[in-house]
Amino acid sequence: MFDFGRKISLFILIILVLMYLIWTMDHSSYSMKIDLNASSKIDILKIKRPSVSGKLDKMKMKHPYCFSKNLFDGSKEYSIDIVRHMSPLHLVAQYKLIGKDVMANSSILYNHLCPYIQKDRYNCARNESDILEYGDNPTDWKLTLKLPNDHGYERSDRPIENGISNSSGDCNLWNLVHDIGGPVGVAESVMELQQTSHHKDDQSNLAEKDTSGRKGKNQRPYIVLIAGNSYLRQIFEAISCGWFNDVTDYRAMIGSYYCDSIECRKKKLKERGGLKYEPNEVGNITSLLEKVKTSCYMNESCTRHKSKNKFYRPGVTVPPPRQDIFGEDVSDNIAMVEFGRKIQFYFIFHPNRYNVTRLFEEKLNLDFGDVDKLIWNCIDDPDLEMKQIFKSTGVWQTRSIWPYKKFRFIQSRDIGRWFGADNPWIYDVPDTHACLPGPPDDEVNLILFLILSNAFVT
């Protein structure tokens, strides 16, 4: 009787153990699913699971502060589905004298002799005998990001880099962007994050999205639209020249009737009562990449032209007119540059001066709904149809209203000066337009950082 009771008890115990083991396996599987789903909501610094992107894992280890949620309003955690608002630039940005310390031989990737369009008025070029002290050149200073003090980010909470806690909390944007591979590397990283997201719609959660008619993310490059005044033109020229080795397409206006001069604009206003250009007046926006590859820049046969001497200091090699490079006069009032077939940057100078709907359809072959990131500094609202579509995709609500004046403020605060253009053509030095190369390269780095971080700035 006693043995029979023991056998029954043992049998029940075995059954209970088996049931527990089965329940544990099921629960582990369920927990794994929960963890994987939740991982997209965890601060990118705290993700423990192996990332699908080995490159991003390396970036997080090497540049931990660049991935901190504390750089964003409300310390919002990273998610491919939530576009975050970056903290005010003057609170998190700082210029540092580190031009000699950034990645070797890449602090200046171009100069005023860039083969792509670069306006002469932006240059600060000097001849080889006119060497300035370290710290007096615009490219000696680099924009960094610091964790703001008011986030209550304690020293003991700071992430560890290479086994050592870095209490300074700096994000070296220059090194981050160059380590990841520039525009191509940023685009590849974003595409990988989008592909692994558990949600197919990858825009902002701030608005309902209408994705009808939009090309799939995997079927086209990532698209950035830069629309506004000449300060944004400098960004477009800086990224075209700064990453010229990765350019796979470059388009600009040829044969345009667009008025650049003040006198011409006044005449047009008087004749027409406005400056709204139709597509037939824009000319052709065609690929110029092959012309650049066969230009005088490639075989170093460019000749000096006295007509441009007024923009350059004595002894500086003067670039040739655009006609010598492209065969005819061109303009980047409307332009596009593509890198690695992965990412495209469009620039439109004062978009409200065009019939923008027809411009996109007939000249750019671009759908408003395909724009992924909008950089904007126009005073006026855009075309109604453009704005409606941008609102439906969430791009308008999460546009970066570019804080150009803050760059000037931060440089003056941290350096004691602003590196504005100072060539002989400028009568009031420094110009409000920055030296190129110079601060616009920092603006490019910030835009690429915003793309990588799924964020915007105002």
Side-chain angles (χ1 to χ4, degrees):
M1 185 78 176
F2 178 73
D3 290 341
F4 178 75
R6 289 185 60 183
K7 288 179 181 179
I8 291 294
S9 299
L10 183 61
F11 176 76
I12 292 173
L13 180 63
I14 292 171
I15 293 297
L16 289 174
V17 170
L18 288 173
M19 290 176 66
Y20 173 77
L21 289 173
I22 292 171
W23 179 85
T24 302
M25 291 174 66
D26 289 341
H27 182 71
S28 298
S29 175
Y30 175 76
S31 297
M32 185 179 296
K33 292 175 184 177
I34 293 296
D35 288 343
L36 288 172
N37 286 330
S39 65
S40 63
K41 303 296 182 183
I42 299 173
D43 188 298
I44 202 163
L45 280 171
K46 299 178 181 178
I47 291 178
K48 301 299 183 183
R49 64 181 176 83
S51 170
V52 293
S53 173
K55 180 183 289 186
L56 268 182
D57 273 344
K58 292 178 182 177
M59 294 303 103
K60 295 169 202 171
M61 291 293 294
K62 192 170 183 180
H63 306 280
Y65 297 103
C66 298
F67 294 90
S68 172
K69 67 181 181 181
N70 294 289
L71 291 170
F72 306 94
D73 281 355
S75 297
K76 285 189 177 179
E77 297 170 339
Y78 177 86
S79 170
I80 197 65
D81 302 306
I82 299 176
V83 186
R84 299 176 291 178
H85 186 200
M86 188 173 175
S87 296
L89 197 61
H90 66 281
L91 296 181
V92 296
Q94 182 179 21
Y95 268 96
K96 288 195 169 184
L97 185 60
I98 54 175
K100 287 183 178 179
D101 303 322
V102 294
M103 294 183 66
N105 301 320
S106 65
S107 182
I108 305 174
L109 291 179
Y110 68 100
N111 58 22
H112 67 289
L113 297 175
C114 168
Y116 299 107
I117 299 174
Q118 185 177 327
K119 281 191 172 291
D120 299 292
R121 69 164 293 175
Y122 304 149
N123 92 87
C124 293
R126 295 177 176 273
N127 63 57
E128 294 180 359
S129 63
D130 188 14
I131 305 299
L132 296 176
E133 294 290 330
Y134 182 52
D136 290 333
N137 300 286
T139 52
D140 293 340
W141 297 83
K142 303 298 181 190
L143 187 72
T144 64
L145 299 179
K146 290 178 68 71
L147 300 179
N149 295 329
D150 58 352
H151 277 302
Y153 198 60
E154 300 295 337
R155 182 181 297 265
S156 60
D157 295 331
R158 294 185 183 278
I160 295 177
E161 184 175 2
N162 297 326
I164 302 174
S165 178
N166 177 3
S167 60
S168 66
D170 291 346
C171 166
N172 185 327
L173 285 177
W174 184 275
N175 280 355
L176 169 70
V177 168
H178 285 73
D179 271 339
I180 205 168
V184 175
V186 168
E188 289 175 343
S189 298
V190 170
M191 288 175 182
E192 286 190 43
L193 288 169
Q194 289 172 346
Q195 289 168 8
T196 56
S197 172
H198 292 279
H199 306 284
K200 292 185 178 179
D201 291 333
D202 54 2
Q203 271 296 341
S204 168
N205 66 329
L206 300 180
E208 292 186 3
K209 299 168 281 295
D210 176 12
T211 57
S212 59
R214 299 185 70 188
K215 299 175 184 176
K217 294 284 185 182
N218 298 334
Q219 300 173 16
R220 61 171 175 80
Y222 189 96
I223 294 174
V224 182
L225 174 60
I226 303 172
N229 61 24
S230 53
Y231 298 128
L232 294 190
R233 184 201 304 274
Q234 287 198 288
I235 295 175
F236 179 82
E237 294 185 357
I239 197 168
S240 300
C241 293
W243 295 93
F244 64 89
N245 284 328
D246 295 336
V247 172
T248 47
D249 197 7
Y250 182 85
R251 298 174 181 265
M253 295 167 61
I254 290 183
S256 169
Y257 293 98
Y258 187 93
C259 284
D260 270 327
S261 68
I262 295 175
E263 294 77 12
C264 180
R265 288 201 296 271
K266 286 181 178 179
K267 182 180 177 182
K268 288 280 186 183
L269 281 169
K270 186 176 181 179
E271 292 174 351
R272 309 163 61 152
L275 283 175
K276 187 75 76 173
Y277 291 91
E278 296 297 328
N280 63 311
E281 298 177 290
V282 169
N284 295 318
I285 302 171
T286 186
S287 180
L288 303 172
L289 187 61
E290 292 306 315
K291 290 187 177 182
V292 170
K293 290 180 178 179
T294 58
S295 71
C296 62
Y297 275 111
M298 299 300 108
N299 55 27
E300 299 183 350
S301 63
C302 296
T303 57
R304 291 174 62 95
H305 288 261
K306 293 181 180 179
S307 62
K308 289 194 170 191
N309 282 354
K310 61 185 177 182
F311 292 100
Y312 295 90
R313 291 180 171 86
V316 173
T317 302
V318 178
R322 295 170 192 161
Q323 291 93 327
D324 286 16
I325 303 170
F326 302 109
E328 53 187 307
D329 195 22
V330 300
S331 168
D332 60 3
N333 285 335
I334 302 173
M336 186 278 287
V337 63
E338 177 188 78
F339 299 96
R341 310 290 181 199
K342 302 286 186 181
I343 186 168
Q344 295 176 342
F345 292 83
Y346 288 82
F347 171 68
I348 302 181
F349 183 58
H350 292 300
N352 290 333
R353 294 181 182 177
Y354 306 95
N355 183 329
V356 75
T357 301
R358 290 187 59 197
L359 175 69
F360 268 62
E361 292 175 354
E362 300 176 24
K363 296 296 181 178
L364 299 178
N365 192 29
L366 181 65
D367 191 306
F368 291 142
D370 286 336
V371 174
D372 297 294
K373 181 72 70 177
L374 178 62
I375 310 297
W376 186 267
N377 76 348
C378 298
I379 296 174
D380 301 321
D381 273 359
D383 172 88
L384 182 59
E385 182 179 353
M386 174 193 272
K387 186 174 181 178
Q388 286 176 339
I389 296 176
F390 283 166
K391 277 190 171 183
S392 73
T393 61
V395 168
W396 181 253
Q397 295 90 324
T398 58
R399 69 194 182 282
S400 284
I401 303 174
W402 203 245
Y404 180 74
K405 289 183 179 180
K406 287 188 179 180
F407 282 88
R408 293 170 58 187
F409 166 79
I410 294 166
Q411 275 211 343
S412 298
R413 180 195 68 192
D414 298 340
I415 307 173
R417 62 169 294 181
W418 159 247
F419 283 105
D422 61 0
N423 61 70
W425 187 80
I426 306 294
Y427 64 88
D428 187 12
V429 174
D431 192 25
T432 56
H433 291 85
C435 286
L436 196 59
D441 302 295
D442 297 308
E443 296 178 74
V444 168
N445 289 340
L446 182 60
I447 288 176
L448 294 174
F449 168 79
L450 292 172
I451 294 171
L452 184 66
S453 304
N454 201 22
F456 66 102
V457 68
T458 55

Short mmCIF file of all heavy atoms in Angstrom, two decimals, residues 14-50:
data_model
loop_
_atom_site.label_atom_id
_atom_site.label_comp_id
_atom_site.label_asym_id
_atom_site.label_seq_id
_atom_site.Cartn_x
_atom_site.Cartn_y
_atom_site.Cartn_z
N ILE A 14 6.27 13.47 -11.79
CA ILE A 14 6.85 13.46 -13.14
C ILE A 14 5.95 14.23 -14.11
O ILE A 14 6.41 15.03 -14.94
CB ILE A 14 7.06 12.01 -13.61
CG1 ILE A 14 8.18 11.34 -12.79
CG2 ILE A 14 7.41 11.98 -15.10
CD1 ILE A 14 8.32 9.85 -13.03
N ILE A 15 4.63 13.99 -13.98
CA ILE A 15 3.68 14.69 -14.84
C ILE A 15 3.78 16.20 -14.64
O ILE A 15 3.81 17.00 -15.59
CB ILE A 15 2.24 14.21 -14.57
CG1 ILE A 15 2.06 12.74 -14.99
CG2 ILE A 15 1.23 15.09 -15.31
CD1 ILE A 15 2.24 12.49 -16.47
N LEU A 16 3.86 16.61 -13.37
CA LEU A 16 3.96 18.05 -13.07
C LEU A 16 5.24 18.66 -13.63
O LEU A 16 5.25 19.78 -14.15
CB LEU A 16 3.89 18.25 -11.56
CG LEU A 16 2.51 18.00 -10.91
CD1 LEU A 16 2.62 18.08 -9.39
CD2 LEU A 16 1.49 19.00 -11.43
N VAL A 17 6.36 17.89 -13.48
CA VAL A 17 7.64 18.39 -14.02
C VAL A 17 7.57 18.56 -15.53
O VAL A 17 8.02 19.55 -16.10
CB VAL A 17 8.79 17.44 -13.63
CG1 VAL A 17 10.05 17.80 -14.38
CG2 VAL A 17 9.04 17.51 -12.12
N LEU A 18 6.98 17.54 -16.21
CA LEU A 18 6.85 17.64 -17.68
C LEU A 18 5.97 18.82 -18.08
O LEU A 18 6.27 19.54 -19.04
CB LEU A 18 6.26 16.32 -18.22
CG LEU A 18 7.20 15.11 -18.20
CD1 LEU A 18 6.44 13.84 -18.60
CD2 LEU A 18 8.39 15.34 -19.14
N MET A 19 4.87 19.00 -17.36
CA MET A 19 3.99 20.13 -17.66
C MET A 19 4.71 21.46 -17.45
O MET A 19 4.57 22.40 -18.24
CB MET A 19 2.74 20.07 -16.77
CG MET A 19 1.79 18.93 -17.13
SD MET A 19 0.39 18.82 -15.99
CE MET A 19 -0.44 20.37 -16.35
N TYR A 20 5.52 21.52 -16.40
CA TYR A 20 6.27 22.75 -16.13
C TYR A 20 7.27 23.04 -17.25
O TYR A 20 7.43 24.18 -17.70
CB TYR A 20 6.99 22.64 -14.80
CG TYR A 20 7.92 23.81 -14.51
CD1 TYR A 20 7.40 25.04 -14.09
CD2 TYR A 20 9.30 23.67 -14.69
CE1 TYR A 20 8.24 26.11 -13.85
CE2 TYR A 20 10.14 24.74 -14.44
CZ TYR A 20 9.60 25.96 -14.03
OH TYR A 20 10.44 27.01 -13.80
N LEU A 21 7.97 21.96 -17.70
CA LEU A 21 8.97 22.15 -18.75
C LEU A 21 8.31 22.61 -20.06
O LEU A 21 8.82 23.49 -20.76
CB LEU A 21 9.72 20.83 -18.99
CG LEU A 21 10.69 20.41 -17.88
CD1 LEU A 21 11.25 19.01 -18.17
CD2 LEU A 21 11.84 21.42 -17.75
N ILE A 22 7.16 22.02 -20.38
CA ILE A 22 6.45 22.42 -21.60
C ILE A 22 6.00 23.88 -21.50
O ILE A 22 6.15 24.67 -22.41
CB ILE A 22 5.23 21.49 -21.83
CG1 ILE A 22 5.72 20.08 -22.20
CG2 ILE A 22 4.33 22.05 -22.94
CD1 ILE A 22 4.61 19.06 -22.23
N TRP A 23 5.45 24.24 -20.31
CA TRP A 23 5.01 25.62 -20.10
C TRP A 23 6.18 26.60 -20.20
O TRP A 23 6.08 27.68 -20.76
CB TRP A 23 4.37 25.73 -18.73
CG TRP A 23 3.90 27.14 -18.41
CD1 TRP A 23 2.72 27.71 -18.76
CD2 TRP A 23 4.64 28.13 -17.70
NE1 TRP A 23 2.68 29.01 -18.30
CE2 TRP A 23 3.85 29.29 -17.66
CE3 TRP A 23 5.91 28.15 -17.09
CZ2 TRP A 23 4.26 30.45 -17.03
CZ3 TRP A 23 6.32 29.31 -16.47
CH2 TRP A 23 5.50 30.44 -16.44
N THR A 24 7.33 26.20 -19.65
CA THR A 24 8.51 27.07 -19.68
C THR A 24 8.97 27.32 -21.10
O THR A 24 9.33 28.44 -21.48
CB THR A 24 9.66 26.44 -18.87
OG1 THR A 24 9.21 26.22 -17.54
CG2 THR A 24 10.88 27.34 -18.86
N MET A 25 8.98 26.26 -21.92
CA MET A 25 9.41 26.42 -23.32
C MET A 25 8.47 27.35 -24.06
O MET A 25 8.89 28.23 -24.81
CB MET A 25 9.46 25.06 -24.00
CG MET A 25 10.57 24.15 -23.49
SD MET A 25 10.50 22.50 -24.20
CE MET A 25 10.84 22.86 -25.90
N ASP A 26 7.16 27.19 -23.86
CA ASP A 26 6.19 28.06 -24.51
C ASP A 26 6.36 29.49 -24.04
O ASP A 26 6.30 30.44 -24.82
CB ASP A 26 4.76 27.60 -24.24
CG ASP A 26 4.43 26.31 -24.97
OD1 ASP A 26 5.16 26.01 -25.94
OD2 ASP A 26 3.46 25.62 -24.59
N HIS A 27 6.55 29.65 -22.74
CA HIS A 27 6.68 31.00 -22.19
C HIS A 27 7.94 31.69 -22.70
O HIS A 27 7.95 32.88 -22.99
CB HIS A 27 6.71 30.91 -20.67
CG HIS A 27 6.79 32.26 -20.02
ND1 HIS A 27 5.73 33.13 -20.00
CD2 HIS A 27 7.81 32.87 -19.37
CE1 HIS A 27 6.09 34.24 -19.37
NE2 HIS A 27 7.35 34.10 -18.98
N SER A 28 9.03 30.91 -22.83
CA SER A 28 10.28 31.48 -23.35
C SER A 28 10.10 31.96 -24.77
O SER A 28 10.59 33.01 -25.17
CB SER A 28 11.41 30.43 -23.29
OG SER A 28 11.64 30.05 -21.96
N SER A 29 9.40 31.15 -25.57
CA SER A 29 9.15 31.54 -26.95
C SER A 29 8.35 32.82 -27.01
O SER A 29 8.63 33.73 -27.76
CB SER A 29 8.41 30.42 -27.69
OG SER A 29 8.05 30.81 -29.00
N TYR A 30 7.31 32.88 -26.14
CA TYR A 30 6.47 34.08 -26.11
C TYR A 30 7.28 35.29 -25.66
O TYR A 30 7.19 36.37 -26.22
CB TYR A 30 5.30 33.85 -25.17
CG TYR A 30 4.43 35.06 -24.98
CD1 TYR A 30 3.53 35.45 -25.99
CD2 TYR A 30 4.50 35.82 -23.82
CE1 TYR A 30 2.73 36.57 -25.82
CE2 TYR A 30 3.70 36.92 -23.65
CZ TYR A 30 2.82 37.29 -24.64
OH TYR A 30 2.04 38.39 -24.48
N SER A 31 8.12 35.08 -24.63
CA SER A 31 8.92 36.18 -24.12
C SER A 31 9.88 36.67 -25.18
O SER A 31 10.15 37.87 -25.29
CB SER A 31 9.72 35.73 -22.89
OG SER A 31 8.85 35.36 -21.86
N MET A 32 10.42 35.75 -25.97
CA MET A 32 11.34 36.14 -27.03
C MET A 32 10.64 37.06 -28.02
O MET A 32 11.18 38.06 -28.46
CB MET A 32 11.90 34.91 -27.74
CG MET A 32 12.98 35.24 -28.78
SD MET A 32 13.62 33.75 -29.57
CE MET A 32 14.38 32.95 -28.17
N LYS A 33 9.38 36.69 -28.33
CA LYS A 33 8.63 37.52 -29.27
C LYS A 33 8.40 38.90 -28.67
O LYS A 33 8.53 39.91 -29.35
CB LYS A 33 7.30 36.86 -29.60
CG LYS A 33 7.44 35.57 -30.41
CD LYS A 33 6.09 34.89 -30.59
CE LYS A 33 6.25 33.56 -31.31
NZ LYS A 33 4.98 32.85 -31.44
N ILE A 34 8.05 38.95 -27.42
CA ILE A 34 7.82 40.23 -26.77
C ILE A 34 9.08 41.06 -26.79
O ILE A 34 9.07 42.24 -27.10
CB ILE A 34 7.35 40.02 -25.32
CG1 ILE A 34 5.97 39.36 -25.29
CG2 ILE A 34 7.33 41.34 -24.57
CD1 ILE A 34 4.88 40.20 -25.91
N ASP A 35 10.22 40.45 -26.46
CA ASP A 35 11.48 41.17 -26.43
C ASP A 35 11.83 41.72 -27.79
O ASP A 35 12.29 42.85 -27.91
CB ASP A 35 12.62 40.26 -25.94
CG ASP A 35 12.49 39.97 -24.45
OD1 ASP A 35 11.74 40.71 -23.79
OD2 ASP A 35 13.11 39.01 -23.98
N LEU A 36 11.63 40.92 -28.83
CA LEU A 36 11.97 41.38 -30.17
C LEU A 36 11.10 42.54 -30.59
O LEU A 36 11.55 43.49 -31.22
CB LEU A 36 11.85 40.23 -31.18
CG LEU A 36 12.93 39.16 -31.08
CD1 LEU A 36 12.59 37.99 -32.00
CD2 LEU A 36 14.29 39.73 -31.44
N ASN A 37 9.82 42.46 -30.24
CA ASN A 37 8.93 43.55 -30.60
C ASN A 37 9.26 44.80 -29.80
O ASN A 37 9.16 45.91 -30.30
CB ASN A 37 7.47 43.16 -30.34
CG ASN A 37 6.95 42.20 -31.39
OD1 ASN A 37 7.41 42.24 -32.52
ND2 ASN A 37 6.03 41.33 -31.01
N ALA A 38 9.64 44.61 -28.54
CA ALA A 38 9.91 45.76 -27.68
C ALA A 38 11.25 46.41 -27.99
O ALA A 38 11.47 47.56 -27.67
CB ALA A 38 9.88 45.33 -26.21
N SER A 39 12.14 45.67 -28.65
CA SER A 39 13.49 46.18 -28.83
C SER A 39 13.53 47.45 -29.63
O SER A 39 14.43 48.27 -29.46
CB SER A 39 14.37 45.12 -29.50
OG SER A 39 13.90 44.85 -30.81
N SER A 40 12.54 47.65 -30.53
CA SER A 40 12.55 48.87 -31.33
C SER A 40 12.20 50.08 -30.48
O SER A 40 12.36 51.20 -30.91
CB SER A 40 11.56 48.77 -32.49
OG SER A 40 10.25 48.63 -32.00
N LYS A 41 11.68 49.86 -29.25
CA LYS A 41 11.31 50.96 -28.39
C LYS A 41 12.36 51.25 -27.33
O LYS A 41 12.21 52.15 -26.53
CB LYS A 41 9.97 50.66 -27.69
CG LYS A 41 8.82 50.37 -28.65
CD LYS A 41 8.50 51.55 -29.52
CE LYS A 41 7.33 51.26 -30.44
NZ LYS A 41 7.05 52.39 -31.34
N ILE A 42 13.42 50.47 -27.30
CA ILE A 42 14.46 50.64 -26.29
C ILE A 42 15.47 51.66 -26.76
O ILE A 42 15.75 51.77 -27.94
CB ILE A 42 15.16 49.30 -26.01
CG1 ILE A 42 14.13 48.29 -25.48
CG2 ILE A 42 16.29 49.45 -25.01
CD1 ILE A 42 14.69 46.90 -25.32
N ASP A 43 16.02 52.44 -25.83
CA ASP A 43 17.08 53.38 -26.20
C ASP A 43 18.15 52.62 -26.96
O ASP A 43 18.59 51.55 -26.55
CB ASP A 43 17.68 54.00 -24.93
CG ASP A 43 18.65 55.11 -25.26
OD1 ASP A 43 19.65 54.82 -25.92
OD2 ASP A 43 18.39 56.26 -24.86
N ILE A 44 18.59 53.21 -28.06
CA ILE A 44 19.52 52.51 -28.95
C ILE A 44 20.82 52.15 -28.25
O ILE A 44 21.53 51.24 -28.65
CB ILE A 44 19.76 53.37 -30.20
CG1 ILE A 44 20.24 52.50 -31.36
CG2 ILE A 44 20.72 54.49 -29.92
CD1 ILE A 44 20.13 53.16 -32.71
N LEU A 45 21.13 52.90 -27.16
CA LEU A 45 22.35 52.59 -26.42
C LEU A 45 22.21 51.31 -25.60
O LEU A 45 23.20 50.69 -25.25
CB LEU A 45 22.66 53.74 -25.45
CG LEU A 45 23.34 54.97 -26.05
CD1 LEU A 45 23.36 56.07 -25.02
CD2 LEU A 45 24.73 54.65 -26.53
N LYS A 46 20.96 50.90 -25.28
CA LYS A 46 20.75 49.80 -24.34
C LYS A 46 20.35 48.51 -25.02
O LYS A 46 20.02 47.54 -24.35
CB LYS A 46 19.69 50.21 -23.32
CG LYS A 46 20.12 51.44 -22.50
CD LYS A 46 19.02 51.84 -21.54
CE LYS A 46 19.43 53.07 -20.75
NZ LYS A 46 18.35 53.51 -19.84
N ILE A 47 20.32 48.48 -26.34
CA ILE A 47 19.93 47.27 -27.04
C ILE A 47 20.96 46.17 -26.78
O ILE A 47 22.14 46.36 -27.01
CB ILE A 47 19.79 47.52 -28.55
CG1 ILE A 47 18.58 48.42 -28.80
CG2 ILE A 47 19.64 46.23 -29.32
CD1 ILE A 47 18.37 48.78 -30.25
N LYS A 48 20.51 45.03 -26.32
CA LYS A 48 21.42 43.93 -25.98
C LYS A 48 21.49 42.89 -27.08
O LYS A 48 22.48 42.18 -27.21
CB LYS A 48 20.96 43.28 -24.67
CG LYS A 48 20.92 44.22 -23.48
CD LYS A 48 22.29 44.80 -23.16
CE LYS A 48 22.24 45.68 -21.93
NZ LYS A 48 23.54 46.31 -21.65
N ARG A 49 20.40 42.76 -27.85
CA ARG A 49 20.38 41.71 -28.85
C ARG A 49 21.30 42.09 -30.02
O ARG A 49 21.54 43.27 -30.28
CB ARG A 49 18.95 41.51 -29.38
CG ARG A 49 18.41 42.72 -30.11
CD ARG A 49 17.00 42.49 -30.60
NE ARG A 49 16.47 43.69 -31.22
CZ ARG A 49 16.70 44.04 -32.47
NH1 ARG A 49 17.46 43.29 -33.24
NH2 ARG A 49 16.17 45.13 -32.97
N PRO A 50 21.82 41.12 -30.76
CA PRO A 50 22.65 41.42 -31.92
C PRO A 50 21.84 42.17 -32.96
O PRO A 50 20.72 41.81 -33.28
CB PRO A 50 23.06 40.02 -32.43
CG PRO A 50 22.85 39.11 -31.27
CD PRO A 50 21.71 39.68 -30.51
#
